[in-house]
Amino acid sequence: MTDPTDNSSVPSRNRKRFPGISTRAWEHPADRSALVALRKLTGFDEVLKKLAGLVSERSVRLMFLATAVRTSERQFPHLYDMVRDAAYILDLEKVPELYVTQDPQPNAMCIGMDTPIIVVTTGLVEMLDEEEMRAVVGHEVGHAMSGHAVYRTMLLILSNIATRIAWLPLGNIAIMAIITALKEWFRKSELSCDRAGLLAGQDLNASMRGLMKLAGGHHLAEMNVDAFIEQAEEYERAGDLRDGVIKLLQVLPQTHPFAAVRVAQLKKWAASEEYRSVLAGAYPRRTDDADASVTDQWKATAESYAKSVKESKDPLMGLIRDITGGAGEVGSKLRDVFTGSRSGGDAAGGEPQGAES
């Protein structure tokens, strides 16, 4: 087990360590339910890799050995310390290798299913300060521990299949429906690992700053986290039903949630009883992972989505609440909104219909 006592980059402030913590402690319900189900399928990852026909992980590692810089005591030692520190905090015995690759685009990724490796770009290293980078490294360690590479692999497989059978309309529609669901899981996995990054760094402001920089660049003196959160809230409640539909269509192709949404979601989780319980040591243990109920996890997923709809200020979610609540005149409301009537969202600046939670 990695001991951080000899890590020069470990912050002087005290942080909690989480011995034996299960990834279920930070996984979003929608992400967790899928992972629990997949973990019940013995040999699933082996079948997946054979179906993928992808280059072996050994080849991927050799490629990064040849084209990137592997962190160590002599190369990017502060990043080397960070990944060891994140593994210590989250109790991961086998520390993933971390590589730095020359790329001006700020990005980080975790690759591999058997022996995950973490790759960060020079653009990201240059943009983030130490505590922001600590959260990112913790985020990627979270991916490694949760085994999220399975999503990426399935997306690659199905995207390849979709390309080959594009001439079959019904077959392509079915594949694209699965890809859409996988992208939703993938987006939720990013929210999960934002939480893992927060647990590793235990500095909410640093986590939020890093996400804000992904949206606005490194000019921190020109940005404000609170204003960015207000921006996220405006995005959620803005417009009428037409805007709600546009936002839905914009997010469906994405594998990552939008940066402002990620900041708002992370702040909400940091204020939750769930986060406080983890910090207090009351978290699920990996020794109990085998006993996790798939049914219970899917129920938690359904409850999470229902809560999101109930609490959302988005006009489209307001309409969904009306429908599920049995409200009348839904067809009329839709007709009015999409023909430009004031009743679906006052053109003079009145409160959009369905905006109240």
Side-chain angles (χ1 to χ4, degrees), residues 268-284:
K268 183 182 296 184
W269 189 69
S272 70
E273 180 60 35
E274 184 177 18
Y275 178 65
R276 288 191 291 270
S277 294
V278 173
L279 290 181
Y283 50 79

Side-chain angles (χ1 to χ4, degrees), residues 171-182:
N172 192 49
I173 288 172
I175 292 293
M176 292 309 296
I178 300 173
I179 289 175
T180 299
L182 280 171

Side-chain angles (χ1 to χ4, degrees), residues 205-223:
N205 284 331
S207 292
M208 294 193 297
R209 285 198 314 270
L211 291 169
M212 182 176 65
K213 284 184 176 181
L214 289 177
H218 68 277
H219 299 288
L220 185 60
E222 301 294 325
M223 296 184 288

Side-chain angles (χ1 to χ4, degrees), residues 119 143 170 251 258 293:
V119 181
H143 277 310
L170 293 180
V251 78
F258 298 129
S293 167

Side-chain angles (χ1 to χ4, degrees), residues 15 46 195 271:
R15 286 174 299 151
E46 291 300 323
R195 299 173 179 184

